[in-house]
Amino acid sequence: MPIQDPGLDVTLREPVGVCALITPWNFPLVISTWKIAPALACGNTIVVKPASYTPLSVLRLAEILIEAGLPPEAISVLPGPGSAVGNALVTDPRVNKVGFTGSTEVGSKIMALAARNITRVSLELGGKSANVVFADADIDTAVERSVWSVFGNTGQDCCARSRVFVERPAYDDFVAAMAKRTDELRVGPPLDEGTELGPMISAGQRETSLEYLEIGQKEGARLVTGGEIPQVAGGEGGFYLRPAVLADVRNDTRVAQEEIFGPVACLISFDTEEEAIRLANETEYGLSGSIWTRDLGRAIRVAKAIRTGVISVNSSHSVHTEAPFGGYKRSGIGREMGMHAVNLYTEVKNVYFSES
Ligand code: NAD
């Protein structure tokens, strides 16, 4: 860059060093690659710590990378419990950078642990994202996509748009249409071609969703459909749950504020654009979001006003590998993907060459 002193000033990007990449169970392969690919491309060596439930896909990926020519010393995969293996990695002085995806609770612990050695940290954490549907939207499409944006991966998705705000004139019809479409979803074994929703990861995860359904109803919400444990032929032993729609939810209740990480949609009505923005922002999270409207000016205003790392208009997309992804507020720090990932996996060095 041009500088005042005589000479030449050059800025270099260098690898951070050893990166500990700690990942969750909900998209075990995909989320790992979001970290592994840019970390290696930036010249780092990596230690991947997959979630205890889901180590196999990353172990296989590491084998494939080595078969493809990656020096074996550039990658290690260390499965094991977060409390032991994860903790040891985050506090090890040989680790220069921690890239973490998981819950906000664990992310906060990791940030505190990493502070000991001033280890670089990036965090992709939880969410409780808003799906804002205005009455002028293409309601059929909004219903179809809203169903998937909350129930996809059986609701175990950090980007789940689980707070569905619907403008009052469209609200009743939207609730009925969403309940109908939800009822039609085919819950079944993941390897069946016809299955739309598979089981949840564990008995505990399903129990949490069931507890929230009770909490929601005690808080005054109306269970419109779902929440039953179905009998699934060929799925014996799986933790299945019918996706549930809670209507007339208040945004300040637990069911609307806490991340459930299961197939539970909270439907909430609103009257004005200002109210929709206020409600969407009344959350400790800020990861994803959608806006449904045919009014371009409104789409621009609302997209700019909602405090979230990612938002899509007339779409339920959250992630494009070319574009930055990450959270505001308690949803995280840093942006993965695209060119932004380079900031996570490099140090910046300034070199000045004097003329004299
Ligand atoms: P989690 O926080 O329980 O675990 C994530 C990873 O951290 C696992 O590998 C776990 O073993 C490890 N870990 C646990 N305790 C640790 C410790 N003390 N030190 C170091 N590592 C530790 O999360 P989960 O249950 O696997 O995944 C669900 C959560 O992840 C949800 O909150 C979800 O929103 C979030 N998530 C966020 C994104 C995102 O991109 N923002 C994506 C997927 C999931």
Side-chain angles (χ1 to χ4, degrees), residues 22-26 31 34 49-52 80-83 86-87 90 100-104 106 109-110 124-127 158 259 261 287 325:
I22 304 177
T23 56
W25 48 260
N26 63 328
I31 289 178
W34 295 354
K49 209 300 277 174
S52 311
S83 49
N87 252 345
V90 175
F100 173 79
T101 298
S103 60
T104 298
V106 174
K109 273 189 208 153
I110 284 181
E124 296 286 357
L125 308 176
C158 53
E259 185 183 47
F261 226 57
L287 187 57
F325 173 75

PDB file of all heavy atoms in Angstrom, residues 22-26 31 34 49-52 80-83 86-87 90 100-104 106 109-110 124-127 158 259 261 287 325, ligand 1:
ATOM      1  N   ILE A  22     -13.748 -27.805  15.507  1.00  0.00           N
ATOM      2  CA  ILE A  22     -14.674 -28.581  16.352  1.00  0.00           C
ATOM      3  C   ILE A  22     -16.082 -28.443  15.774  1.00  0.00           C
ATOM      4  O   ILE A  22     -16.566 -27.322  15.583  1.00  0.00           O
ATOM      5  CB  ILE A  22     -14.623 -28.061  17.807  1.00  0.00           C
ATOM      6  CG1 ILE A  22     -13.179 -28.110  18.316  1.00  0.00           C
ATOM      7  CG2 ILE A  22     -15.553 -28.859  18.704  1.00  0.00           C
ATOM      8  CD1 ILE A  22     -12.985 -27.551  19.720  1.00  0.00           C
ATOM      9  N   THR A  23     -16.708 -29.588  15.486  1.00  0.00           N
ATOM     10  CA  THR A  23     -17.952 -29.528  14.708  1.00  0.00           C
ATOM     11  C   THR A  23     -19.103 -30.278  15.404  1.00  0.00           C
ATOM     12  O   THR A  23     -18.876 -31.162  16.217  1.00  0.00           O
ATOM     13  CB  THR A  23     -17.715 -30.131  13.303  1.00  0.00           C
ATOM     14  OG1 THR A  23     -17.207 -31.456  13.455  1.00  0.00           O
ATOM     15  CG2 THR A  23     -16.731 -29.300  12.512  1.00  0.00           C
ATOM     16  N   PRO A  24     -20.356 -29.926  15.047  1.00  0.00           N
ATOM     17  CA  PRO A  24     -21.534 -30.538  15.668  1.00  0.00           C
ATOM     18  C   PRO A  24     -22.011 -31.761  14.884  1.00  0.00           C
ATOM     19  O   PRO A  24     -21.458 -32.091  13.837  1.00  0.00           O
ATOM     20  CB  PRO A  24     -22.563 -29.412  15.585  1.00  0.00           C
ATOM     21  CG  PRO A  24     -22.237 -28.720  14.309  1.00  0.00           C
ATOM     22  CD  PRO A  24     -20.748 -28.850  14.106  1.00  0.00           C
ATOM     23  N   TRP A  25     -23.080 -32.368  15.384  1.00  0.00           N
ATOM     24  CA  TRP A  25     -23.552 -33.608  14.763  1.00  0.00           C
ATOM     25  C   TRP A  25     -24.620 -33.384  13.695  1.00  0.00           C
ATOM     26  O   TRP A  25     -24.986 -34.309  12.984  1.00  0.00           O
ATOM     27  CB  TRP A  25     -24.133 -34.557  15.840  1.00  0.00           C
ATOM     28  CG  TRP A  25     -25.089 -33.894  16.792  1.00  0.00           C
ATOM     29  CD1 TRP A  25     -24.788 -33.460  18.052  1.00  0.00           C
ATOM     30  CD2 TRP A  25     -26.468 -33.581  16.579  1.00  0.00           C
ATOM     31  NE1 TRP A  25     -25.889 -32.888  18.626  1.00  0.00           N
ATOM     32  CE2 TRP A  25     -26.937 -32.946  17.743  1.00  0.00           C
ATOM     33  CE3 TRP A  25     -27.363 -33.763  15.516  1.00  0.00           C
ATOM     34  CZ2 TRP A  25     -28.258 -32.497  17.886  1.00  0.00           C
ATOM     35  CZ3 TRP A  25     -28.665 -33.319  15.646  1.00  0.00           C
ATOM     36  CH2 TRP A  25     -29.092 -32.686  16.820  1.00  0.00           C
ATOM     37  N   ASN A  26     -25.166 -32.178  13.579  1.00  0.00           N
ATOM     38  CA  ASN A  26     -26.384 -32.063  12.761  1.00  0.00           C
ATOM     39  C   ASN A  26     -26.137 -32.077  11.256  1.00  0.00           C
ATOM     40  O   ASN A  26     -26.987 -32.544  10.503  1.00  0.00           O
ATOM     41  CB  ASN A  26     -27.228 -30.854  13.190  1.00  0.00           C
ATOM     42  CG  ASN A  26     -26.532 -29.538  12.988  1.00  0.00           C
ATOM     43  OD1 ASN A  26     -25.314 -29.461  13.106  1.00  0.00           O
ATOM     44  ND2 ASN A  26     -27.285 -28.519  12.682  1.00  0.00           N
ATOM     45  N   ILE A  31     -20.586 -29.337   7.448  1.00  0.00           N
ATOM     46  CA  ILE A  31     -20.025 -28.269   8.292  1.00  0.00           C
ATOM     47  C   ILE A  31     -18.514 -28.455   8.467  1.00  0.00           C
ATOM     48  O   ILE A  31     -17.764 -27.486   8.508  1.00  0.00           O
ATOM     49  CB  ILE A  31     -20.775 -28.194   9.644  1.00  0.00           C
ATOM     50  CG1 ILE A  31     -22.175 -27.636   9.385  1.00  0.00           C
ATOM     51  CG2 ILE A  31     -20.019 -27.337  10.650  1.00  0.00           C
ATOM     52  CD1 ILE A  31     -23.060 -27.534  10.603  1.00  0.00           C
ATOM     53  N   TRP A  34     -16.779 -26.971   5.479  1.00  0.00           N
ATOM     54  CA  TRP A  34     -16.749 -25.496   5.480  1.00  0.00           C
ATOM     55  C   TRP A  34     -15.506 -24.971   6.187  1.00  0.00           C
ATOM     56  O   TRP A  34     -15.083 -23.851   5.971  1.00  0.00           O
ATOM     57  CB  TRP A  34     -17.969 -24.924   6.214  1.00  0.00           C
ATOM     58  CG  TRP A  34     -19.283 -25.195   5.577  1.00  0.00           C
ATOM     59  CD1 TRP A  34     -19.508 -25.789   4.377  1.00  0.00           C
ATOM     60  CD2 TRP A  34     -20.562 -24.875   6.121  1.00  0.00           C
ATOM     61  NE1 TRP A  34     -20.857 -25.861   4.150  1.00  0.00           N
ATOM     62  CE2 TRP A  34     -21.520 -25.313   5.194  1.00  0.00           C
ATOM     63  CE3 TRP A  34     -20.978 -24.263   7.301  1.00  0.00           C
ATOM     64  CZ2 TRP A  34     -22.886 -25.155   5.411  1.00  0.00           C
ATOM     65  CZ3 TRP A  34     -22.331 -24.105   7.512  1.00  0.00           C
ATOM     66  CH2 TRP A  34     -23.279 -24.549   6.577  1.00  0.00           C
ATOM     67  N   LYS A  49     -12.165 -32.179  15.321  1.00  0.00           N
ATOM     68  CA  LYS A  49     -12.812 -32.899  16.428  1.00  0.00           C
ATOM     69  C   LYS A  49     -14.298 -32.971  16.096  1.00  0.00           C
ATOM     70  O   LYS A  49     -15.050 -32.041  16.327  1.00  0.00           O
ATOM     71  CB  LYS A  49     -12.599 -32.106  17.731  1.00  0.00           C
ATOM     72  CG  LYS A  49     -12.561 -32.949  18.991  1.00  0.00           C
ATOM     73  CD  LYS A  49     -13.821 -33.752  19.278  1.00  0.00           C
ATOM     74  CE  LYS A  49     -14.896 -32.955  19.963  1.00  0.00           C
ATOM     75  NZ  LYS A  49     -16.160 -33.731  20.084  1.00  0.00           N
ATOM     76  N   PRO A  50     -14.739 -34.123  15.505  1.00  0.00           N
ATOM     77  CA  PRO A  50     -16.162 -34.238  15.182  1.00  0.00           C
ATOM     78  C   PRO A  50     -16.984 -34.476  16.449  1.00  0.00           C
ATOM     79  O   PRO A  50     -16.434 -34.825  17.496  1.00  0.00           O
ATOM     80  CB  PRO A  50     -16.207 -35.462  14.268  1.00  0.00           C
ATOM     81  CG  PRO A  50     -14.994 -36.259  14.573  1.00  0.00           C
ATOM     82  CD  PRO A  50     -13.958 -35.328  15.139  1.00  0.00           C
ATOM     83  N   ALA A  51     -18.295 -34.302  16.334  1.00  0.00           N
ATOM     84  CA  ALA A  51     -19.178 -34.551  17.479  1.00  0.00           C
ATOM     85  C   ALA A  51     -19.155 -36.039  17.830  1.00  0.00           C
ATOM     86  O   ALA A  51     -18.967 -36.898  16.958  1.00  0.00           O
ATOM     87  CB  ALA A  51     -20.594 -34.100  17.138  1.00  0.00           C
ATOM     88  N   SER A  52     -19.387 -36.340  19.096  1.00  0.00           N
ATOM     89  CA  SER A  52     -19.291 -37.747  19.544  1.00  0.00           C
ATOM     90  C   SER A  52     -20.256 -38.650  18.786  1.00  0.00           C
ATOM     91  O   SER A  52     -19.946 -39.812  18.527  1.00  0.00           O
ATOM     92  CB  SER A  52     -19.612 -37.848  21.040  1.00  0.00           C
ATOM     93  OG  SER A  52     -18.891 -36.898  21.740  1.00  0.00           O
ATOM     94  N   GLY A  80     -14.002 -37.983  20.015  1.00  0.00           N
ATOM     95  CA  GLY A  80     -14.034 -38.115  21.473  1.00  0.00           C
ATOM     96  C   GLY A  80     -14.956 -37.086  22.075  1.00  0.00           C
ATOM     97  O   GLY A  80     -15.429 -36.186  21.379  1.00  0.00           O
ATOM     98  N   PRO A  81     -15.189 -37.205  23.374  1.00  0.00           N
ATOM     99  CA  PRO A  81     -16.119 -36.280  24.021  1.00  0.00           C
ATOM    100  C   PRO A  81     -15.579 -34.852  24.049  1.00  0.00           C
ATOM    101  O   PRO A  81     -14.381 -34.639  24.238  1.00  0.00           O
ATOM    102  CB  PRO A  81     -16.239 -36.828  25.456  1.00  0.00           C
ATOM    103  CG  PRO A  81     -15.321 -37.976  25.567  1.00  0.00           C
ATOM    104  CD  PRO A  81     -14.611 -38.196  24.271  1.00  0.00           C
ATOM    105  N   GLY A  82     -16.484 -33.908  23.868  1.00  0.00           N
ATOM    106  CA  GLY A  82     -16.086 -32.498  23.849  1.00  0.00           C
ATOM    107  C   GLY A  82     -15.416 -32.078  25.134  1.00  0.00           C
ATOM    108  O   GLY A  82     -14.422 -31.344  25.126  1.00  0.00           O
ATOM    109  N   SER A  83     -15.947 -32.586  26.253  1.00  0.00           N
ATOM    110  CA  SER A  83     -15.430 -32.135  27.544  1.00  0.00           C
ATOM    111  C   SER A  83     -13.963 -32.529  27.722  1.00  0.00           C
ATOM    112  O   SER A  83     -13.206 -31.816  28.369  1.00  0.00           O
ATOM    113  CB  SER A  83     -16.272 -32.738  28.665  1.00  0.00           C
ATOM    114  OG  SER A  83     -16.405 -34.119  28.442  1.00  0.00           O
ATOM    115  N   GLY A  86     -12.177 -31.950  23.262  1.00  0.00           N
ATOM    116  CA  GLY A  86     -12.391 -30.563  22.834  1.00  0.00           C
ATOM    117  C   GLY A  86     -11.680 -29.588  23.747  1.00  0.00           C
ATOM    118  O   GLY A  86     -10.943 -28.702  23.308  1.00  0.00           O
ATOM    119  N   ASN A  87     -11.872 -29.779  25.041  1.00  0.00           N
ATOM    120  CA  ASN A  87     -11.236 -28.905  26.033  1.00  0.00           C
ATOM    121  C   ASN A  87      -9.717 -28.913  25.885  1.00  0.00           C
ATOM    122  O   ASN A  87      -9.071 -27.868  25.917  1.00  0.00           O
ATOM    123  CB  ASN A  87     -11.560 -29.425  27.438  1.00  0.00           C
ATOM    124  CG  ASN A  87     -12.528 -28.521  28.146  1.00  0.00           C
ATOM    125  OD1 ASN A  87     -12.742 -27.397  27.719  1.00  0.00           O
ATOM    126  ND2 ASN A  87     -13.104 -28.994  29.217  1.00  0.00           N
ATOM    127  N   VAL A  90      -8.608 -26.918  22.845  1.00  0.00           N
ATOM    128  CA  VAL A  90      -8.793 -25.461  22.926  1.00  0.00           C
ATOM    129  C   VAL A  90      -7.741 -24.817  23.831  1.00  0.00           C
ATOM    130  O   VAL A  90      -7.328 -23.684  23.609  1.00  0.00           O
ATOM    131  CB  VAL A  90     -10.218 -25.140  23.438  1.00  0.00           C
ATOM    132  CG1 VAL A  90     -10.404 -23.651  23.644  1.00  0.00           C
ATOM    133  CG2 VAL A  90     -11.258 -25.667  22.467  1.00  0.00           C
ATOM    134  N   PHE A 100     -15.037 -23.195  15.672  1.00  0.00           N
ATOM    135  CA  PHE A 100     -16.049 -23.997  16.371  1.00  0.00           C
ATOM    136  C   PHE A 100     -17.426 -23.782  15.764  1.00  0.00           C
ATOM    137  O   PHE A 100     -17.825 -22.648  15.486  1.00  0.00           O
ATOM    138  CB  PHE A 100     -16.085 -23.575  17.852  1.00  0.00           C
ATOM    139  CG  PHE A 100     -17.215 -24.207  18.640  1.00  0.00           C
ATOM    140  CD1 PHE A 100     -17.109 -25.519  19.096  1.00  0.00           C
ATOM    141  CD2 PHE A 100     -18.386 -23.507  18.905  1.00  0.00           C
ATOM    142  CE1 PHE A 100     -18.147 -26.114  19.808  1.00  0.00           C
ATOM    143  CE2 PHE A 100     -19.428 -24.092  19.627  1.00  0.00           C
ATOM    144  CZ  PHE A 100     -19.306 -25.398  20.074  1.00  0.00           C
ATOM    145  N   THR A 101     -18.167 -24.858  15.578  1.00  0.00           N
ATOM    146  CA  THR A 101     -19.604 -24.771  15.298  1.00  0.00           C
ATOM    147  C   THR A 101     -20.321 -25.629  16.309  1.00  0.00           C
ATOM    148  O   THR A 101     -19.970 -26.802  16.503  1.00  0.00           O
ATOM    149  CB  THR A 101     -19.946 -25.251  13.873  1.00  0.00           C
ATOM    150  OG1 THR A 101     -19.298 -24.400  12.938  1.00  0.00           O
ATOM    151  CG2 THR A 101     -21.446 -25.189  13.621  1.00  0.00           C
ATOM    152  N   GLY A 102     -21.314 -25.062  16.973  1.00  0.00           N
ATOM    153  CA  GLY A 102     -22.075 -25.809  17.974  1.00  0.00           C
ATOM    154  C   GLY A 102     -22.991 -24.875  18.737  1.00  0.00           C
ATOM    155  O   GLY A 102     -23.357 -23.812  18.240  1.00  0.00           O
ATOM    156  N   SER A 103     -23.319 -25.262  19.953  1.00  0.00           N
ATOM    157  CA  SER A 103     -24.291 -24.482  20.726  1.00  0.00           C
ATOM    158  C   SER A 103     -23.651 -23.205  21.279  1.00  0.00           C
ATOM    159  O   SER A 103     -22.436 -23.132  21.472  1.00  0.00           O
ATOM    160  CB  SER A 103     -24.804 -25.339  21.881  1.00  0.00           C
ATOM    161  OG  SER A 103     -23.724 -25.709  22.706  1.00  0.00           O
ATOM    162  N   THR A 104     -24.495 -22.243  21.558  1.00  0.00           N
ATOM    163  CA  THR A 104     -24.026 -20.980  22.127  1.00  0.00           C
ATOM    164  C   THR A 104     -23.387 -21.214  23.498  1.00  0.00           C
ATOM    165  O   THR A 104     -22.379 -20.599  23.846  1.00  0.00           O
ATOM    166  CB  THR A 104     -25.202 -19.995  22.211  1.00  0.00           C
ATOM    167  OG1 THR A 104     -25.657 -19.763  20.870  1.00  0.00           O
ATOM    168  CG2 THR A 104     -24.799 -18.668  22.835  1.00  0.00           C
ATOM    169  N   VAL A 106     -21.744 -23.918  24.664  1.00  0.00           N
ATOM    170  CA  VAL A 106     -20.374 -24.447  24.549  1.00  0.00           C
ATOM    171  C   VAL A 106     -19.460 -23.409  23.891  1.00  0.00           C
ATOM    172  O   VAL A 106     -18.297 -23.248  24.279  1.00  0.00           O
ATOM    173  CB  VAL A 106     -20.361 -25.795  23.793  1.00  0.00           C
ATOM    174  CG1 VAL A 106     -18.941 -26.266  23.536  1.00  0.00           C
ATOM    175  CG2 VAL A 106     -21.122 -26.855  24.578  1.00  0.00           C
ATOM    176  N   LYS A 109     -18.097 -21.133  26.439  1.00  0.00           N
ATOM    177  CA  LYS A 109     -17.031 -21.780  27.230  1.00  0.00           C
ATOM    178  C   LYS A 109     -15.720 -21.792  26.440  1.00  0.00           C
ATOM    179  O   LYS A 109     -14.645 -21.540  26.974  1.00  0.00           O
ATOM    180  CB  LYS A 109     -17.410 -23.247  27.504  1.00  0.00           C
ATOM    181  CG  LYS A 109     -18.260 -23.444  28.738  1.00  0.00           C
ATOM    182  CD  LYS A 109     -18.380 -24.947  29.020  1.00  0.00           C
ATOM    183  CE  LYS A 109     -19.681 -25.213  29.743  1.00  0.00           C
ATOM    184  NZ  LYS A 109     -20.218 -26.546  29.530  1.00  0.00           N
ATOM    185  N   ILE A 110     -15.840 -22.120  25.153  1.00  0.00           N
ATOM    186  CA  ILE A 110     -14.630 -22.224  24.316  1.00  0.00           C
ATOM    187  C   ILE A 110     -13.942 -20.872  24.201  1.00  0.00           C
ATOM    188  O   ILE A 110     -12.715 -20.766  24.278  1.00  0.00           O
ATOM    189  CB  ILE A 110     -15.014 -22.802  22.943  1.00  0.00           C
ATOM    190  CG1 ILE A 110     -15.243 -24.303  23.117  1.00  0.00           C
ATOM    191  CG2 ILE A 110     -13.964 -22.503  21.879  1.00  0.00           C
ATOM    192  CD1 ILE A 110     -15.608 -25.042  21.894  1.00  0.00           C
ATOM    193  N   GLU A 124     -19.567 -20.409  15.233  1.00  0.00           N
ATOM    194  CA  GLU A 124     -20.868 -20.487  14.553  1.00  0.00           C
ATOM    195  C   GLU A 124     -21.806 -21.141  15.543  1.00  0.00           C
ATOM    196  O   GLU A 124     -21.656 -22.325  15.844  1.00  0.00           O
ATOM    197  CB  GLU A 124     -20.772 -21.357  13.293  1.00  0.00           C
ATOM    198  CG  GLU A 124     -19.877 -20.825  12.207  1.00  0.00           C
ATOM    199  CD  GLU A 124     -20.478 -19.664  11.463  1.00  0.00           C
ATOM    200  OE1 GLU A 124     -21.640 -19.288  11.755  1.00  0.00           O
ATOM    201  OE2 GLU A 124     -19.789 -19.107  10.606  1.00  0.00           O
ATOM    202  N   LEU A 125     -22.780 -20.406  16.038  1.00  0.00           N
ATOM    203  CA  LEU A 125     -23.545 -20.904  17.182  1.00  0.00           C
ATOM    204  C   LEU A 125     -25.035 -21.067  16.874  1.00  0.00           C
ATOM    205  O   LEU A 125     -25.420 -21.239  15.738  1.00  0.00           O
ATOM    206  CB  LEU A 125     -23.297 -19.973  18.372  1.00  0.00           C
ATOM    207  CG  LEU A 125     -21.800 -19.737  18.679  1.00  0.00           C
ATOM    208  CD1 LEU A 125     -21.617 -18.738  19.803  1.00  0.00           C
ATOM    209  CD2 LEU A 125     -21.086 -21.044  18.998  1.00  0.00           C
ATOM    210  N   GLY A 126     -25.832 -21.018  17.897  1.00  0.00           N
ATOM    211  CA  GLY A 126     -27.255 -21.330  17.752  1.00  0.00           C
ATOM    212  C   GLY A 126     -28.057 -20.222  17.087  1.00  0.00           C
ATOM    213  O   GLY A 126     -27.549 -19.153  16.764  1.00  0.00           O
ATOM    214  N   GLY A 127     -29.334 -20.499  16.888  1.00  0.00           N
ATOM    215  CA  GLY A 127     -30.206 -19.511  16.250  1.00  0.00           C
ATOM    216  C   GLY A 127     -31.665 -19.706  16.623  1.00  0.00           C
ATOM    217  O   GLY A 127     -32.050 -20.731  17.207  1.00  0.00           O
ATOM    218  N   CYS A 158     -29.277 -25.124  12.659  1.00  0.00           N
ATOM    219  CA  CYS A 158     -29.017 -23.827  13.306  1.00  0.00           C
ATOM    220  C   CYS A 158     -29.739 -22.699  12.591  1.00  0.00           C
ATOM    221  O   CYS A 158     -30.077 -21.694  13.197  1.00  0.00           O
ATOM    222  CB  CYS A 158     -27.522 -23.551  13.312  1.00  0.00           C
ATOM    223  SG  CYS A 158     -26.793 -23.702  11.680  1.00  0.00           S
ATOM    224  N   GLU A 259     -33.681 -21.901  21.635  1.00  0.00           N
ATOM    225  CA  GLU A 259     -33.469 -22.784  20.485  1.00  0.00           C
ATOM    226  C   GLU A 259     -33.922 -24.199  20.871  1.00  0.00           C
ATOM    227  O   GLU A 259     -33.384 -24.792  21.810  1.00  0.00           O
ATOM    228  CB  GLU A 259     -31.991 -22.789  20.104  1.00  0.00           C
ATOM    229  CG  GLU A 259     -31.745 -23.596  18.838  1.00  0.00           C
ATOM    230  CD  GLU A 259     -30.272 -23.695  18.472  1.00  0.00           C
ATOM    231  OE1 GLU A 259     -29.447 -23.990  19.353  1.00  0.00           O
ATOM    232  OE2 GLU A 259     -29.960 -23.501  17.282  1.00  0.00           O
ATOM    233  N   PHE A 261     -34.174 -26.867  18.577  1.00  0.00           N
ATOM    234  CA  PHE A 261     -33.404 -27.820  17.784  1.00  0.00           C
ATOM    235  C   PHE A 261     -34.207 -29.097  17.547  1.00  0.00           C
ATOM    236  O   PHE A 261     -33.717 -30.213  17.690  1.00  0.00           O
ATOM    237  CB  PHE A 261     -32.065 -28.127  18.453  1.00  0.00           C
ATOM    238  CG  PHE A 261     -30.932 -28.085  17.464  1.00  0.00           C
ATOM    239  CD1 PHE A 261     -30.689 -26.951  16.709  1.00  0.00           C
ATOM    240  CD2 PHE A 261     -30.111 -29.188  17.254  1.00  0.00           C
ATOM    241  CE1 PHE A 261     -29.666 -26.902  15.780  1.00  0.00           C
ATOM    242  CE2 PHE A 261     -29.080 -29.154  16.319  1.00  0.00           C
ATOM    243  CZ  PHE A 261     -28.860 -28.004  15.592  1.00  0.00           C
ATOM    244  N   LEU A 287     -28.831 -15.358  13.347  1.00  0.00           N
ATOM    245  CA  LEU A 287     -28.084 -16.179  12.390  1.00  0.00           C
ATOM    246  C   LEU A 287     -28.652 -16.099  10.974  1.00  0.00           C
ATOM    247  O   LEU A 287     -27.972 -15.736  10.039  1.00  0.00           O
ATOM    248  CB  LEU A 287     -28.040 -17.636  12.866  1.00  0.00           C
ATOM    249  CG  LEU A 287     -27.158 -18.564  12.047  1.00  0.00           C
ATOM    250  CD1 LEU A 287     -25.725 -18.065  11.984  1.00  0.00           C
ATOM    251  CD2 LEU A 287     -27.177 -19.982  12.599  1.00  0.00           C
ATOM    252  N   PHE A 325     -21.034 -16.490   5.620  1.00  0.00           N
ATOM    253  CA  PHE A 325     -22.055 -17.078   6.491  1.00  0.00           C
ATOM    254  C   PHE A 325     -21.594 -16.973   7.937  1.00  0.00           C
ATOM    255  O   PHE A 325     -20.460 -17.331   8.262  1.00  0.00           O
ATOM    256  CB  PHE A 325     -22.271 -18.551   6.128  1.00  0.00           C
ATOM    257  CG  PHE A 325     -23.190 -19.266   7.075  1.00  0.00           C
ATOM    258  CD1 PHE A 325     -24.553 -19.050   7.029  1.00  0.00           C
ATOM    259  CD2 PHE A 325     -22.682 -20.128   8.041  1.00  0.00           C
ATOM    260  CE1 PHE A 325     -25.413 -19.685   7.920  1.00  0.00           C
ATOM    261  CE2 PHE A 325     -23.527 -20.771   8.936  1.00  0.00           C
ATOM    262  CZ  PHE A 325     -24.901 -20.543   8.871  1.00  0.00           C
TER     263      PHE A 325
HETATM  264  P1  NAD B   1     -22.469 -28.785  21.051  1.00  0.00           P
HETATM  265  O1  NAD B   1     -22.120 -27.376  21.374  1.00  0.00           O
HETATM  266  O2  NAD B   1     -22.986 -29.644  22.139  1.00  0.00           O
HETATM  267  O3  NAD B   1     -21.166 -29.553  20.462  1.00  0.00           O
HETATM  268  C1  NAD B   1     -20.446 -29.064  19.353  1.00  0.00           C
HETATM  269  C2  NAD B   1     -19.048 -29.673  19.371  1.00  0.00           C
HETATM  270  O4  NAD B   1     -18.347 -29.157  20.502  1.00  0.00           O
HETATM  271  C3  NAD B   1     -19.023 -31.189  19.495  1.00  0.00           C
HETATM  272  O5  NAD B   1     -17.961 -31.713  18.720  1.00  0.00           O
HETATM  273  C4  NAD B   1     -18.753 -31.382  20.990  1.00  0.00           C
HETATM  274  O6  NAD B   1     -18.156 -32.627  21.274  1.00  0.00           O
HETATM  275  C5  NAD B   1     -17.799 -30.229  21.265  1.00  0.00           C
HETATM  276  N1  NAD B   1     -17.707 -29.796  22.670  1.00  0.00           N
HETATM  277  C6  NAD B   1     -18.642 -29.927  23.642  1.00  0.00           C
HETATM  278  N2  NAD B   1     -18.177 -29.411  24.799  1.00  0.00           N
HETATM  279  C7  NAD B   1     -16.927 -28.929  24.552  1.00  0.00           C
HETATM  280  C8  NAD B   1     -15.932 -28.262  25.352  1.00  0.00           C
HETATM  281  N3  NAD B   1     -16.133 -27.982  26.624  1.00  0.00           N
HETATM  282  N4  NAD B   1     -14.788 -27.882  24.743  1.00  0.00           N
HETATM  283  C9  NAD B   1     -14.570 -28.129  23.433  1.00  0.00           C
HETATM  284  N5  NAD B   1     -15.467 -28.776  22.642  1.00  0.00           N
HETATM  285  C10 NAD B   1     -16.634 -29.154  23.190  1.00  0.00           C
HETATM  286  O7  NAD B   1     -23.478 -28.722  19.812  1.00  0.00           O
HETATM  287  P2  NAD B   1     -24.265 -29.919  19.099  1.00  0.00           P
HETATM  288  O8  NAD B   1     -25.305 -30.422  20.038  1.00  0.00           O
HETATM  289  O9  NAD B   1     -23.278 -30.881  18.514  1.00  0.00           O
HETATM  290  O10 NAD B   1     -24.937 -29.142  17.873  1.00  0.00           O
HETATM  291  C11 NAD B   1     -26.101 -28.412  17.999  1.00  0.00           C
HETATM  292  C12 NAD B   1     -25.818 -26.939  18.178  1.00  0.00           C
HETATM  293  O11 NAD B   1     -24.947 -26.472  17.150  1.00  0.00           O
HETATM  294  C13 NAD B   1     -27.071 -26.074  18.060  1.00  0.00           C
HETATM  295  O12 NAD B   1     -27.060 -25.074  19.049  1.00  0.00           O
HETATM  296  C14 NAD B   1     -26.945 -25.460  16.679  1.00  0.00           C
HETATM  297  O13 NAD B   1     -27.638 -24.241  16.515  1.00  0.00           O
HETATM  298  C15 NAD B   1     -25.478 -25.276  16.563  1.00  0.00           C
HETATM  299  N6  NAD B   1     -25.097 -25.205  15.162  1.00  0.00           N
HETATM  300  C16 NAD B   1     -24.678 -23.992  14.644  1.00  0.00           C
HETATM  301  C17 NAD B   1     -24.345 -23.899  13.295  1.00  0.00           C
HETATM  302  C18 NAD B   1     -23.897 -22.607  12.689  1.00  0.00           C
HETATM  303  O14 NAD B   1     -23.304 -22.657  11.610  1.00  0.00           O
HETATM  304  N7  NAD B   1     -24.129 -21.468  13.296  1.00  0.00           N
HETATM  305  C19 NAD B   1     -24.451 -25.028  12.482  1.00  0.00           C
HETATM  306  C20 NAD B   1     -24.870 -26.230  13.041  1.00  0.00           C
HETATM  307  C21 NAD B   1     -25.182 -26.307  14.378  1.00  0.00           C
END
